Amino acid sequence: MFKQIAAATLMLCAVAGASATTYNLGTLPLAPASYGDFISYGPDTVFEDLFNFSVPDGTLGVSANILAVTSVTNTNAFAYHISDLSYSIWQGNTQIGLTHSGGLIPTYTALAAGSYTVKIAGESDGQFGGIYGVNLAVTPVPEPATYGLMLVGLGLLGLATRRRDAANDKFM
């Protein structure tokens, strides 16, 4: 009987300390607009947040950053902190990108038009919980004609430089 009560209590504690929130963002606009937010949790909470959205053709830039605040009374402790922050990009059941290490460096993933999910997970372990900031930005993918025009322009610059150098050689 004691084992059953202990198991039930342990399960209740595990459920109380876990959290999952889903944010439905709709279609993300192309740059320079973006989606950004600050998310906070109470102390000792394991979380996994889901950000559902769709994009036109483009490149998705994702960053999630821990906002660590040191304690005023104990400079060796954090008043607000999140450990093991990570985020991953999913299309349906297929993971197409992952960042661990606190998410301090934005990742960029080329996306076809469609629906996606960014999962952000971690554990708030500060005295008063934890806070993180998230930013999702979509930039358009250049058309192949754009690259073609750029290459033609570079070729013309090279030709002009070569002709100028040849003209300068005649006078020397």
Side-chain angles (χ1 to χ4, degrees), residues 10-88:
L10 185 61
M11 287 177 56
L12 283 174
C13 289
V15 170
S19 180
T21 306
T22 301
Y23 301 89
N24 293 311
L25 307 179
T27 301
L28 290 182
L30 292 177
S34 66
Y35 169 81
D37 204 353
F38 293 100
I39 312 295
S40 64
Y41 284 98
D44 301 320
T45 303
V46 176
F47 62 88
E48 179 180 84
D49 294 333
L50 306 175
F51 296 84
N52 298 321
F53 57 93
S54 59
V55 296
D57 267 349
T59 300
L60 175 68
V62 179
S63 64
N65 297 307
I66 299 166
L67 302 177
V69 179
T70 57
S71 174
V72 174
T73 57
N74 181 359
T75 56
N76 294 328
F78 287 106
Y80 294 95
H81 188 262
I82 291 177
S83 62
D84 297 326
L85 185 70
S86 67
Y87 56 89
S88 54

Side-chain angles (χ1 to χ4, degrees), residues 55 57-62 87-90 95-99 106-112 116 137-139 141:
V55 296
D57 267 349
T59 300
L60 175 68
V62 179
Y87 56 89
S88 54
I89 305 168
W90 296 76
Q95 182 176 343
I96 58 176
L98 170 69
T99 296
T107 59
Y108 297 93
T109 304
L111 304 174
Y116 297 90
V138 178
T139 56
V141 174

Side-chain angles (χ1 to χ4, degrees), residues 1-12:
M1 177 75 168
F2 177 73
K3 288 183 181 180
Q4 292 173 337
I5 293 173
T9 304
L10 185 61
M11 287 177 56
L12 283 174

Side-chain angles (χ1 to χ4, degrees), residues 93-150:
N93 293 327
T94 305
Q95 182 176 343
I96 58 176
L98 170 69
T99 296
H100 255 289
S101 79
L104 298 176
I105 300 171
T107 59
Y108 297 93
T109 304
L111 304 174
S115 297
Y116 297 90
T117 299
V118 169
K119 293 181 183 179
I120 300 178
E123 179 180 358
S124 62
D125 58 0
Q127 179 183 3
F128 300 113
I131 303 170
Y132 74 89
V134 62
N135 185 43
L136 305 172
V138 178
T139 56
V141 174
E143 297 290 327
T146 304
Y147 289 118
L149 285 173
M150 183 179 72

